[in-house]
Amino acid sequence: MKNKKWISLAAAVILAVTALPMTAFAAEKDGGEEKLTKVTLNEVAHSIFYAPQYVAIEKGYFKDEGLDLTLITGFGADKTMTAVISGEADIGFMGAEASIYAYQEGATDPVVNFAQLTQRAGNFLVAREEMPNFKWEDLKDKKVLGGRKGGMPEMVFEYILKQNDLDPQKDLSIDQSIDFGATAAAFTGDDSADFTVEFEPSATALEKQGTGYVVASLGVDSGYVPYTSYSAKTSYMKKNPDIMQKFTNALQKGMDYVQSHTPEEIAEVIEPQFPETDLDTVTTIVKRYYDQDTWKENLVFGQDGFELLQDILEDAGELKERTPYAELVNTEFAKNAS
């Protein structure tokens, strides 16, 4: 496996630092009011792609479960994983590949996945001009602004290329030097790239500016992939099973909501989470994800999905050896969610 400075740092934290005790009190009555349990969640990015999570926040489902949730955006799986390992966050939300990397580096307190939110990739291929008849072979000899090596966005992109008989190293040029979240600005400011791979709201923003056009969905063309999941250290899960179950219950209620409501209704609920994005744009993005069956009906992270993830990691040359499903996935809380 190629050098991963960030995961080596994270592994070092595991080996060198005793798990920090997290303050967690059971909900109790204090002066007639219920005392909420504090839980810190670090998310890899703040995106409409994760709509069920924001529904759960905005509808008060976490508070209903007795939890006082603090949401922090890590801006990258490396940073989110490090926050979980160091104890800065109780729960992490990122691609499950990060837990596999940490495990393979010798983690003594493995970060285990307990709930899967998305079942498709959430990014899109954006071109400089409209291409209604786009085919993946159109990328041959072109320059694309891609993602970080070893991260899910880039690996899924390369997985699709290979499925379409394109060699990511030889048939096109992929620029992986741009920081997470900065590719849209780079695409606008420098016309040397022909395409960029973007999450929302960046993809739709480029379209509205007239500087880019969505020509393909990586979520559709890669098929069902366990793209993002929730995870926590083994020690935290063992110490706080009640918190884990309550957290998962709240998420499941958010999942139930998006399954039973329209994109317009979902957008209205989560709009406060995206104050810089107008409701019309939020609705457009929600509908795009809704129509491609982005969100699961339940949070259970199945073994087939985990093995497919490892197939993608192997294909990308990022896997030393396969990790047993039971070592890094716990389905107890998802199965019992209500």
Side-chain angles (χ1 to χ4, degrees):
M1 183 169 61
K2 299 287 190 277
N3 180 37
K4 301 184 181 63
K5 292 182 179 179
W6 69 268
I7 205 61
S8 295
L9 171 62
V13 175
I14 291 180
L15 297 171
V17 182
T18 302
L20 299 177
M22 303 306 297
T23 303
F25 299 100
E28 58 185 39
K29 295 292 181 180
D30 182 13
E33 294 185 4
E34 188 176 40
K35 187 174 183 179
L36 301 178
T37 302
K38 293 184 179 297
V39 176
T40 300
L41 169 64
N42 190 299
E43 59 177 1
V44 64
H46 197 70
S47 171
I48 295 167
F49 184 38
Y50 312 132
Q53 172 180 287
Y54 306 127
V55 167
I57 292 172
E58 293 298 325
K59 298 292 286 186
Y61 297 151
F62 288 103
K63 288 186 178 179
D64 291 345
E65 291 288 335
L67 302 179
D68 178 8
L69 185 71
T70 297
L71 181 64
I72 298 171
T73 303
F75 298 103
D78 51 346
K79 298 177 181 64
T80 295
M81 176 58 77
T82 300
V84 174
I85 289 172
S86 69
E88 291 180 22
D90 303 313
I91 295 171
F93 177 55
M94 64 197 118
E97 80 284 352
S99 66
I100 296 175
Y101 294 155
Y103 183 83
Q104 293 191 153
E105 291 292 333
T108 56
D109 189 3
V111 175
V112 174
N113 302 281
F114 65 90
Q116 179 188 334
L117 187 79
T118 56
Q119 61 183 2
R120 288 191 184 275
N123 42 0
F124 301 87
L125 184 68
V126 179
R128 290 205 177 272
E129 55 189 44
E130 293 182 89
M131 301 177 67
N133 299 312
F134 171 81
K135 301 179 294 298
W136 285 98
E137 63 190 54
D138 294 336
L139 293 183
K140 195 170 179 63
D141 300 323
K142 297 297 193 296
K143 179 180 177 181
V144 182
L145 301 185
R148 176 179 58 82
K149 182 173 177 55
M152 277 300 286
E154 179 63 22
M155 288 192 296
V156 169
F157 177 48
E158 293 186 14
Y159 175 76
I160 294 172
L161 294 176
K162 292 173 183 177
Q163 294 294 309
N164 287 274
D165 299 320
L166 289 171
D167 185 322
Q169 279 72 48
K170 297 179 180 179
D171 291 333
L172 65 157
S173 171
I174 305 175
D175 185 344
Q176 297 178 268
S177 67
I178 302 170
D179 289 340
F180 182 84
T183 50
F187 188 69
T188 302
D190 180 0
D191 62 5
S192 66
D194 305 288
F195 298 85
T196 182
V197 178
E198 298 294 335
F199 277 96
E200 295 288 13
S202 296
T204 295
L206 287 171
E207 285 195 321
K208 292 208 166 192
Q209 295 167 9
T211 54
Y213 301 88
V214 172
V215 295
S217 164
L218 275 69
V220 170
D221 289 348
S222 64
Y224 290 110
V225 174
Y227 204 78
T228 47
S229 60
Y230 295 87
S231 55
K233 287 191 295 188
T234 301
S235 59
Y236 182 86
M237 295 173 73
K238 287 182 177 179
K239 184 179 179 181
N240 303 286
D242 289 345
I243 293 176
M244 298 299 300
Q245 190 61 65
K246 290 175 179 179
F247 181 91
T248 311
N249 289 347
L251 280 178
Q252 183 60 61
K253 290 174 183 175
M255 299 288 269
D256 292 341
Y257 186 95
V258 300
Q259 293 291 333
S260 59
H261 290 76
T262 66
E264 290 76 15
E265 291 169 325
I266 297 167
E268 286 185 8
V269 171
I270 70 172
E271 183 189 15
Q273 288 283 324
F274 303 92
E276 296 179 357
T277 307
D278 63 84
L279 180 59
D280 180 63
T281 299
V282 174
T283 303
T284 297
I285 295 170
V286 169
K287 189 174 189 309
R288 182 170 275 164
Y289 284 133
Y290 185 95
D291 289 345
Q292 69 178 40
D293 195 25
T294 293
W295 305 298
K296 294 176 87 266
E297 292 185 6
N298 59 60
L299 295 159
V300 177
F301 195 152
Q303 184 165 358
D304 287 348
F306 187 75
E307 298 303 339
L308 173 59
L309 172 61
Q310 294 199 90
D311 289 343
I312 293 173
L313 294 178
E314 277 187 334
D315 196 50
E318 298 291 339
L319 196 64
K320 285 182 179 177
E321 58 183 354
R322 296 183 80 91
T323 301
Y325 170 73
E327 292 290 323
L328 291 181
V329 179
N330 180 331
T331 60
E332 173 189 355
F333 306 111
K335 288 180 177 178
N336 293 329
S338 60

